[in-house]
Amino acid sequence: MQTPNRVSCLAINCSVADGLGKLVVIIIDSSNNVIRQVFTSPSVFSFRRNSAEILNWHRDNIISLIAQYDIQLISVKKTERTSFYSKPKNSDIFKLYMEGVMLSLAGSIGKQNKHLYKNEVQAKLGDPDIFDTSITSIIKKFGLNDCMGTISKADIPSTKDAILTALASQES
């Protein structure tokens, strides 16, 4: 069953894989199409030296997608780690900065923005086991059109997180 059209939303999941900063971006457009983009930046080991360059590169990619897909809402799944018991790793710093930059970008250009924890996503979608559901089942359950193409096995968790974050953001 097709669900009503939603506001165009862009959800971002920040991660680090093999020392490279990675943004998995999911767009659910106003026609319920799910579009996926992945941006991989230079090594996070150079993040402290080149942080502005890396953050601006990702920011410019997101600005391009906002214009291309008429995005009205930007959401980020909050990094679950809330405190650091030792010196934060470069990967932690990258994720926290990137989340902040994306939400700041949304606010500065007048777009709605949301920053959700896993438990908030589960509550908004009314399913405590939603993160255990396959991407195919999520697409079907919410009446979406899969326009993502092939997803590598390594990118499935971050893609699923971004899809669920977008859906939860649109629900509130």
Side-chain angles (χ1 to χ4, degrees), residues 131-148:
F131 283 91
D132 297 327
T133 306
S134 72
I135 290 174
T136 304
S137 295
I138 293 166
I139 297 289
K140 186 176 179 181
K141 178 179 181 173
F142 290 95
L144 302 172
N145 307 310
D146 186 348
C147 302
M148 295 184 290

Side-chain angles (χ1 to χ4, degrees), residues 119-131:
N119 62 345
E120 292 173 308
V121 171
Q122 292 165 319
K124 288 180 185 294
L125 297 179
D127 186 349
D129 299 320
I130 195 72
F131 283 91

Side-chain angles (χ1 to χ4, degrees), residues 6 20 36 49 53 61 71 105 125 142 145 171:
R6 299 169 165 90
L20 302 176
R36 180 177 170 271
R49 257 190 341 270
E53 179 182 336
N61 287 326
I71 300 299
L105 166 65
L125 297 179
F142 290 95
N145 307 310
E171 290 298 317

Side-chain angles (χ1 to χ4, degrees), residues 2-137:
Q2 187 75 7
T3 57
N5 289 350
R6 299 169 165 90
V7 63
S8 293
C9 178
L10 182 146
I12 302 163
N13 182 281
C14 306
S15 64
V16 175
D18 300 323
L20 302 176
K22 187 183 247 185
L23 258 64
V24 172
V25 179
I26 290 295
I27 296 165
I28 300 178
D29 69 12
S30 60
S31 298
N32 294 325
N33 295 313
V34 180
I35 301 136
R36 180 177 170 271
Q37 296 283 333
V38 177
F39 300 106
T40 305
S41 67
S43 169
V44 294
F45 300 111
S46 67
F47 184 70
R48 289 193 178 153
R49 257 190 341 270
N50 303 319
S51 60
E53 179 182 336
I54 293 169
L55 293 170
N56 283 331
W57 181 78
H58 281 299
R59 182 179 179 273
D60 290 345
N61 287 326
I62 298 302
I63 288 171
S64 174
L65 292 174
I66 289 168
Q68 183 178 355
Y69 292 99
D70 190 28
I71 300 299
Q72 299 303 310
L73 169 65
I74 297 174
S75 60
V76 176
K77 182 177 175 290
K78 177 87 170 122
T79 298
E80 297 296 324
R81 187 172 179 176
T82 57
S83 63
F84 299 97
Y85 298 105
S86 62
K87 182 178 175 185
K89 296 185 269 182
N90 283 348
S91 59
D92 296 322
I93 293 168
F94 169 78
K95 289 188 282 187
L96 292 170
Y97 268 88
M98 189 56 61
E99 290 170 4
V101 164
M102 292 303 133
L103 293 173
S104 173
L105 166 65
S108 70
I109 60 175
K111 303 294 180 185
Q112 296 178 48
N113 61 79
K114 308 229 175 168
H115 205 196
L116 303 173
Y117 285 101
K118 182 178 180 177
N119 62 345
E120 292 173 308
V121 171
Q122 292 165 319
K124 288 180 185 294
L125 297 179
D127 186 349
D129 299 320
I130 195 72
F131 283 91
D132 297 327
T133 306
S134 72
I135 290 174
T136 304
S137 295

